[in-house]
Amino acid sequence: MLKTFPLGGVHPPENKFSESAPTEELPVPAQVVIPISQHIGAPSDPVVKRGDIVKVGQLIAESKGFVSANIHSSVSGKVAKIDGVTDSSGYRQTAITIDAEGDEWLDSVDRSEQLTKEVKLSREDILSRCHEMGIVGLGGATFPSHVKLSVPPGKQCDTLIINGVECEPYLTSDHRLMLEKGEEMVVGISILMKALGVDKAMIGIENNKPDAIEHIKKISAAYKGISVHSLKIKYPQGAEKQLIKALLNREVPSGMLPIEVGAVVHNVGTAFAVYEAVQKNKPLIDRIVTVTGKSLANPGNYRVRIGTPVSALIDAAGGTPEDTGKIVNGGPMMGKALNKSDVPVVKGTSGIILFPASESRRVRVTPCIRCSKCITVCAMGLEPYLLMSLAERDMYDIVEANKVTDCMECGSCSYICPAGRPLLDYIRLGKSTVFSIIRERNSK
Amino acid sequence: MSNLLNVSPSPHVHGKETTVNLMKGVLIALAPAFVVTVLFFGYAAIIITGVAVLSCVIFEYLIQRFILRRENSVNDLSAVVTGVLLAFCLPTNIPLWLVVLGSLVAIGMGKMTFGGLGCNPFNPALVGRVFLFLSFPVQLTSWPKPKGFLTGYLDANTGATPLGIIKENYGELPVSEIMAMDQMPGYTDMFMGRMAGSLGEIGALALLIGMLYMLWKKIITWHIPVSIIGTVIVIAGGLWLVNPSENADPLFHLLTGGLLLGAIFMATDYVTSPMSSRGMIIYGIGIGLLTMVIRRYSAYPEGVQFAILIMNSVTPLINMYIKPKRFGEEVNNG
Amino acid sequence: MNPTIVYTVASLSSLGLIAAAILYVFAQKFKVYEDPRIDEVQDILPAANCGGCGYAGCRNFAEALVKADSFDGLNCPPGGSEVMEQAAAILGREAVAADPLIAVVRCGGTPDKRPLTSLYDGVSNCKIANSLYTGESDCGYGCLGLGDCVASCQFDAMHMDNESRMPVISDTNCVACGACVKACPRSIIEMRKKAKKDRKLFVSCVNRDKGAVAKKACSVACIGCSKCVKVCEYDAVKVENFLSYIDYTKCVFCRKCVTECPTNAIVEINFPPRKVRNQEAAKA
């Protein structure tokens, strides 16, 4: 029997239209807009000013504090302005706008395609290289990788888990990466293993990608300690805690990090970025983005420079279809709906999905019939119906007592609800309110 | 692009499941039992069910339109399900005005008083049924004998249900002799549905088919029916093993009365059953226990209806104290 | 006499006596002394438990009043000075006059002035929409129009205007309890001094973006041009973060800033119509 996590989960239609489309390189755009906050943690400090000439890979914003990440220029050209731009939520945040001229890279970056297997750097050097090159988790959460790789004192890590699950419907960028850059990715995994000081790595891939499983199995056979595991198709398997449960059968205690059970989880995209950073000295300036949708002409996967407008991506995939009603940045379950398509691609952009108007409105909300399907599908064992009704009535003390802080906002409850109730909307409200109440309480 | 984009919080896709589909699923699952009852009780079953469904729907519509004055939700089919379930626990030779009255109580008192679908603490169909049962015991306990499709409506030829027969003769005759009585149907008849009883409760096989359908379609989970039936088997089996001359065997308890109808369709009613699977099992055990207590030790031959209503009232308490198994709560990484 | 009756009466009576004794002992043991004035003060409070005083409910406020040495800073907005004077009389203290306040909505971005740029398709809850994105317009500061404030109002003093998609506050019903101020995730609603004839004059915008950005999102946005600051003779207007604010303790309702504002972001409500002055007519 295939491995999976035991509690909850849903299986939305996969709709992976772009899984057989090879990754294409998107031309360098005329202008890139690079926000200074593309990661979890403190926004970076710009180190260039208006009018500066920058090269591809040059540091343009320095990380501030430990939990933060460097940001590098993704094009060569002139800094046009450092000013507020609207980000994917419509709110303004500081970004560095660069007008592209040519494509001149920093000399230190090794741009050859040649595979470098030997890892020369020491453990500490790998960490500092990841920090220097601005590597963040590319699965979507954009947590700075060097933080994740630094095992806190007193904790033990014995297994590195590589997330190749891609449980979100529609998205295929990780799938394509595994097929096309498998060799590099596995070298990246061995680098990560060295950085963590572990001799065991497990790659979890869902069963709907048999070609990737075969391919990575073949490559990883040559490496010691790396094993590939095929998993049952079930959302949200890509969530850290669920993946650890599925692969290691260890349960991360409520409110704790995976390191508590001796595991560290990294995405396949991150493993590849780490390979590039460590072996090729290349900062994180581009990533693979899936552009897909039912009415899109050419759903595909594109390697794009960070800061490229989303609209350029959509144009490359055949332009915005007439019937588009919603554009989602990320997967359909956890992604963020955009209110306009001229926002930039950032480090955490894993996909752009265009929904036709007919699928872009929510279903009508009817009364809760207490069918308990939300409880059945909740992977964290929560009671979404209860959390929603409590949050609706501002009863946050009971919301907290019912473990709202464990919710990872996977959306399975809202997905399954036969009454179309906006469970996650209110749970998210309850969760953020409870977190601010906790912060306030702790500060006292 | 001229159209404005829609923006909403995630998730951006929704499953195919809707309230109406679930209700349709329940109706489909009830269909085999309906076929069985028509085969044994004739067109009267169709009349009773029709009247019950129609009056439930009309009462729900009227109450929403003229008393609650709010958007009508008759389309969600929940009133139809209530109507069918109410009809299923009535005998076929009941006067029609009682069916209408029962529907009014079921919908009016059992459901709309509390705010309609999703708010009622008690199963509406059972509220209607118990109201009729307590107010009109004579009409509610005269069961026609199953005579096939051409049985006339209000057929005068009535008989007792197997549970009634056994209750009447408890203490006077040993169970083995009661079972051998002429009027007592055999197990095959009970399994297929050839016995006196309420409309929908007779066909054990048909009800089990309905249960399998609902389990397959994931309309219900196994927890409630299995825990009810399991508890009944354990208790009845225990009593039977201790004293076989005074207690009927578990199979008899399983096949007679409203146990299967109750366990599969009434107790699993979403609104009035607990939310977590642990809670469902406690609820099921409670129903099984109460059913056996009432059947064996009270004046009533049948106890499923009361057992379910009593456990309905405990449901909020179960929901409050029995939480689902949380991820990462009790960690056992041994 | 029938011994059954005797036994029954005797046993029930003794049971009753024992119960009474237990009750008495516990009542004495757990007696809590409460100042009887708390009840008296609570009786005159409006019993709305609106929280406008800053306490959880009227009972807590009554306790605070009884405990306090002076009424400084204690005020019951719905009750107003009348209730506070009564409370002062009961407690033998001096009532402190507090200005009556009224809530105003500091956003003028009706759909005709603030074009829609997307359609919100989620729960009708401002907090949820606010944490998701800017709302249906490009203004990240303005009213979302989903009515959290209206839902929070216990005094039937607010309603959503369907045309402007903005909350409207009733001058007569608003008791300045402040529930809407707390409910608004964007802090658009402000408590301002209630003036005679319900006159109001305020900057109807809270957009702290640069002028050009604000103006692009909404034609009646405050662009922080400071013309109002220059024209004000009473030092009542300040501009901070590209946003003007009129201090109601200093404003004398001269209305000069209203005419000066290039985007009509400053509004005047319940004023008599202006006489068209020759100067302005000539300018026009």
Side-chain angles (χ1 to χ4, degrees):
Chain A
M1 218 174 88
L2 290 168
K3 287 185 180 175
T4 188
F5 59 100
L7 212 60
V10 290
H11 184 191
E14 287 160 36
N15 289 330
K16 305 239 182 202
F17 305 123
S18 51
E19 66 186 338
S20 50
T23 309
E24 287 170 42
E25 192 88 23
L26 201 74
V28 179
Q31 191 185 55
V32 290
V33 176
I34 305 176
I36 59 162
S37 177
Q38 304 184 23
H39 45 261
I40 287 182
S44 312
D45 257 346
V47 291
V48 289
K49 47 186 197 303
R50 189 164 166 247
D52 281 3
I53 303 291
V54 293
K55 284 183 180 171
V56 181
Q58 188 178 332
L59 183 74
I60 52 173
E62 207 166 29
S63 76
K64 215 162 62 179
F66 185 56
V67 185
S68 184
N70 284 341
I71 292 167
H72 303 80
S73 176
S74 58
V75 294
S76 60
K78 201 166 161 189
V79 177
K81 59 177 181 180
I82 301 174
D83 198 5
V85 295
T86 53
D87 65 2
S88 57
S89 63
Y91 292 114
R92 296 178 76 74
Q93 67 149 301
T94 310
I96 300 166
T97 306
I98 302 168
D99 289 327
E101 282 161 31
D103 193 21
E104 203 180 323
W105 288 59
L106 278 187
D107 296 334
S108 57
V109 180
D110 172 11
R111 296 189 63 202
S112 68
E113 284 289 319
Q114 202 196 346
L115 182 73
T116 323
K117 278 192 181 173
E118 196 192 347
V119 185
K120 289 193 191 110
L121 294 186
S122 71
R123 200 171 157 178
E124 286 73 29
D125 287 344
I126 295 172
L127 282 189
S128 59
R129 183 66 68 82
C130 286
H131 189 181
E132 197 184 313
M133 294 297 157
I135 308 295
V136 299
L138 293 180
T142 63
F143 193 79
S145 296
H146 63 274
V147 183
K148 242 180 170 180
L149 288 172
S150 322
V151 181
K155 302 274 190 271
Q156 276 285 320
C157 176
D158 57 42
T159 314
L160 168 70
I161 287 181
I162 296 297
N163 181 352
V165 170
E166 202 155 56
C167 58
E168 279 265 17
Y170 289 91
L171 300 187
T172 58
S173 54
D174 288 352
H175 186 185
R176 291 314 304 177
L177 182 86
M178 285 188 278
L179 286 180
E180 291 161 17
K181 304 279 183 191
E183 292 275 359
E184 288 88 340
M185 191 197 87
V186 176
V187 176
I189 293 171
S190 64
I191 298 170
L192 288 171
M193 286 165 73
K194 187 170 178 187
L196 285 165
V198 298
D199 46 19
K200 196 170 116 196
M202 298 169 94
I203 310 174
I205 305 173
E206 271 189 359
N207 205 23
N208 55 357
K209 297 178 265 289
D211 47 353
I213 295 171
E214 270 315 298
H215 187 62
I216 302 296
K217 255 187 189 158
K218 225 177 281 164
I219 296 168
S220 61
Y223 292 80
K224 208 171 146 262
I226 301 181
S227 55
V228 180
H229 302 262
S230 63
L231 300 166
K232 197 177 157 196
I233 308 161
K234 192 154 95 176
Y235 178 87
Q237 196 139 238
E240 281 190 339
K241 292 183 178 182
Q242 271 61 35
L243 189 59
I244 294 171
K245 180 76 185 172
L247 285 174
L248 289 173
N249 195 22
R250 296 182 194 164
E251 208 162 304
V252 182
S254 160
M256 304 270 196
L257 292 172
I259 191 70
E260 201 66 30
V261 295
V264 167
V265 184
H266 279 283
N267 185 269
V268 288
T270 318
F272 177 69
V274 165
Y275 164 81
E276 286 196 316
V278 173
Q279 306 293 67
K280 303 281 184 183
N281 218 0
K282 183 184 154 198
L284 182 56
I285 54 150
D286 56 9
R287 67 157 297 147
I288 302 179
V289 179
T290 302
V291 186
T292 182
K294 278 183 185 159
S295 16
L296 204 63
N298 313 305
N301 305 287
Y302 299 88
R303 175 168 289 279
V304 291
R305 305 284 172 93
I306 303 292
T308 308
V310 165
S311 51
L313 260 174
I314 298 173
D315 288 342
T320 314
E322 200 50 38
D323 64 350
T324 301
K326 192 188 249 179
I327 300 179
V328 172
N329 177 354
M333 295 297 284
M334 290 187 77
K336 204 165 164 42
L338 299 176
N339 63 346
K340 47 178 79 117
S341 61
D342 56 5
V343 298
V345 169
V346 292
K347 289 178 181 175
T349 308
S350 49
I352 300 292
I353 307 170
L354 287 86
F355 284 98
S358 56
E359 285 179 35
S360 67
R361 298 297 287 186
R362 286 193 163 181
V363 296
R364 211 170 72 96
V365 178
T366 53
C368 170
I369 54 168
R370 307 171 69 77
C371 64
S372 75
K373 283 186 189 293
C374 52
I375 297 178
T376 315
V377 301
C378 182
M380 297 306 289
L382 307 177
E383 295 152 289
Y385 83 99
L386 181 72
L387 295 175
M388 169 177 171
S389 62
L390 292 172
E392 232 177 334
R393 290 169 180 74
D394 295 339
M395 294 158 86
Y396 295 114
D397 46 340
I398 317 180
V399 172
E400 188 184 346
N402 281 289
K403 298 269 176 189
V404 74
T405 48
D406 277 355
C407 174
M408 56 172 154
E409 307 181 16
C410 71
S412 300
C413 49
S414 292
Y415 172 81
I416 204 77
C417 182
R421 298 184 72 71
L423 293 156
L424 181 56
D425 295 12
Y426 277 102
I427 293 173
R428 220 184 259 125
L429 172 68
K431 188 177 157 187
S432 61
T433 314
V434 164
F435 269 125
S436 64
I437 290 172
I438 292 175
R439 261 198 305 275
E440 209 171 294
R441 193 164 54 212
N442 290 346
S443 69
K444 263 177 199 166
Chain B
M1 195 178 54
S2 57
N3 298 347
L4 297 177
L5 292 173
N6 289 305
V7 178
S8 67
S10 66
H12 305 288
V13 284
H14 190 266
K16 296 278 174 292
E17 210 82 272
T18 62
T19 305
V20 181
N21 285 348
L22 291 174
M23 297 293 170
K24 272 186 200 154
V26 174
L27 290 175
I28 291 171
L30 284 164
F34 185 65
V35 171
V36 167
T37 198
V38 171
L39 285 179
F40 287 112
F41 291 133
Y43 60 90
I46 302 177
I47 296 176
I48 304 282
T49 313
V51 169
V53 167
L54 208 64
S55 42
C56 278
V57 170
I58 290 174
F59 284 131
E60 175 153 320
Y61 175 79
L62 292 178
I63 290 172
Q64 283 190 328
R65 177 89 174 72
F66 294 104
I67 300 178
L68 297 176
R69 292 166 196 279
R70 66 177 188 200
E71 203 188 342
N72 226 298
S73 61
V74 168
N75 300 343
D76 65 23
L77 296 183
S78 62
V80 177
V81 173
T82 304
V84 174
L85 287 179
L86 175 65
F88 269 33
C89 48
L90 298 174
T92 44
N93 58 350
I94 182 175
L96 285 183
W97 66 273
L98 275 182
V99 179
V100 176
L101 184 65
S103 305
L104 178 62
V105 172
I107 293 292
M109 251 174 71
K111 188 175 172 192
M112 304 316 281
T113 324
F114 298 100
L117 181 63
C119 306
N120 47 304
F122 299 104
N123 188 327
L126 281 181
V127 170
R129 145 84 182 172
V130 166
F131 167 80
L132 293 178
F133 182 70
L134 297 179
S135 313
F136 306 92
V138 177
Q139 288 91 327
L140 261 282
T141 47
S142 77
W143 321 94
K145 286 186 175 164
K147 284 200 299 198
F149 184 66
L150 292 173
T151 315
Y153 171 54
L154 293 181
D155 191 288
N157 193 352
T158 62
T161 62
L163 280 171
I165 299 168
I166 217 163
K167 192 95 203 176
E168 257 170 50
N169 298 298
Y170 262 144
E172 290 167 17
L173 293 171
V175 167
S176 54
E177 276 183 42
I178 305 176
M179 297 303 259
M181 285 163 82
D182 270 352
Q183 45 174 334
M184 183 65 92
Y187 282 126
T188 322
D189 282 346
M190 288 184 192
F191 190 61
M192 300 309 293
R194 185 186 293 278
M195 61 176 164
S198 298
L199 233 126
E201 68 184 28
I202 52 168
L205 177 66
L207 291 168
L208 287 172
I209 292 172
M211 176 171 88
L212 290 180
Y213 175 80
M214 290 207 290
L215 286 174
W216 174 54
K217 284 281 177 192
K218 293 188 179 163
I219 296 169
I220 58 169
T221 54
W222 58 269
H223 304 87
I224 294 176
V226 169
S227 56
I228 295 176
I229 294 168
T231 311
V232 167
I233 290 175
V234 167
I235 295 175
L239 289 171
W240 181 62
L241 285 177
V242 170
N243 192 350
S245 71
E246 277 187 21
N247 295 293
D249 58 273
L251 190 60
F252 176 82
H253 278 289
L254 203 62
L255 296 180
T256 57
L259 184 78
L260 286 178
L261 179 68
I264 297 168
F265 291 100
M266 303 282 192
T268 56
D269 170 36
Y270 285 147
V271 183
T272 55
S273 61
M275 300 294 275
S276 64
S277 34
R278 289 178 188 178
M280 287 178 188
I281 290 174
I282 292 174
Y283 168 85
I285 291 174
I287 292 175
L289 195 72
L290 287 170
T291 302
M292 284 314 295
V293 167
I294 297 170
R295 277 188 180 182
R296 184 65 188 82
Y297 300 107
S298 84
Y300 291 110
E302 172 59 310
V304 175
Q305 46 181 346
F306 297 114
I308 294 176
L309 285 179
I310 291 168
M311 287 313 286
N312 280 169
S313 68
V314 184
T315 296
L317 207 63
I318 296 178
N319 279 340
M320 187 182 272
Y321 290 108
I322 309 297
K323 297 293 176 190
K325 188 199 172 302
R326 311 271 200 222
F327 185 95
E329 193 185 36
E330 309 146 17
V331 183
N332 181 13
N333 290 329
Chain C
M1 212 198 272
N2 190 337
T4 317
I5 296 175
V6 176
Y7 287 139
T8 316
V9 169
S11 59
L12 282 178
S13 312
S14 51
L15 263 180
L17 278 174
I18 294 167
I22 294 172
L23 272 177
Y24 177 78
V25 168
F26 276 89
Q28 287 303 311
K29 192 165 180 195
F30 294 104
K31 199 153 107 186
V32 179
Y33 172 75
E34 267 208 329
D35 196 329
R37 291 178 302 170
I38 295 178
D39 282 325
E40 273 180 67
V41 175
Q42 195 190 351
D43 283 344
I44 57 154
L45 292 176
N49 291 321
C50 67
C53 51
Y55 291 87
C58 292
R59 176 90 192 166
N60 304 60
F61 185 56
E63 281 168 15
L65 281 177
V66 171
K67 244 186 250 165
D69 294 326
S70 103
F71 276 13
D72 231 3
L74 293 170
N75 183 35
C76 173
S81 54
E82 200 182 310
V83 162
M84 290 312 291
E85 269 160 29
Q86 283 177 25
I90 293 172
L91 299 173
R93 300 216 182 87
E94 201 84 358
V96 179
D99 288 328
L101 300 174
I102 188 160
V104 296
V105 179
R106 287 187 295 165
C107 177
T110 51
D112 52 324
K113 311 229 168 62
R114 185 170 56 145
L116 291 185
T117 53
S118 65
L119 299 171
Y120 176 64
D121 179 33
V123 189
S124 196
N125 180 306
C126 302
K127 285 198 190 78
I128 290 173
N130 183 49
S131 61
L132 180 69
Y133 80 130
T134 52
E136 296 193 321
S137 76
D138 279 346
C139 176
Y141 297 89
C143 181
L144 289 155
L146 301 170
D148 276 16
C149 49
V150 176
S152 77
C153 185
Q154 292 180 44
F155 297 93
D156 200 21
M158 297 184 99
H159 71 273
M160 255 356 237
D161 187 85
N162 285 336
E163 217 167 287
S164 67
R165 303 174 59 167
M166 291 268 179
V168 177
I169 295 168
S170 146
D171 291 334
T172 47
N173 286 6
C174 177
V175 297
C177 69
C180 50
V181 177
K182 278 182 220 143
C184 180
R186 291 189 160 176
S187 307
I188 291 166
I189 304 176
E190 190 200 357
M191 285 297 160
R192 292 178 75 87
K193 196 165 90 182
K194 203 173 167 114
K196 62 173 184 195
K197 290 180 185 155
D198 289 321
R199 284 178 181 170
K200 288 173 209 151
L201 195 150
F202 57 96
V203 181
S204 185
C205 182
V206 289
N207 193 318
R208 286 180 289 277
D209 276 337
K210 279 181 195 163
V213 178
K215 178 88 188 170
K216 205 175 151 198
C218 174
S219 67
V220 291
C222 171
I223 54 174
C225 65
S226 298
K227 280 187 175 171
C228 43
V229 179
K230 281 170 207 133
V231 79
C232 183
E233 292 161 19
Y234 304 90
D235 193 26
V237 193
K238 264 200 197 84
V239 171
E240 246 172 42
N241 295 329
F242 312 104
L243 178 64
S244 164
Y245 177 74
I246 300 174
D247 185 347
Y248 59 80
T249 56
K250 292 180 182 161
C251 177
V252 298
F253 291 164
C254 72
R255 295 198 272 166
K256 277 189 186 146
C257 52
V258 179
T259 39
E260 198 65 25
C261 182
T263 56
N264 297 323
I266 304 179
V267 294
E268 48 173 63
I269 297 169
N270 294 332
F271 281 89
R274 280 163 203 271
K275 287 172 205 149
V276 181
R277 277 189 226 131
N278 295 340
Q279 272 184 328
E280 277 175 33
K283 254 191 214 165

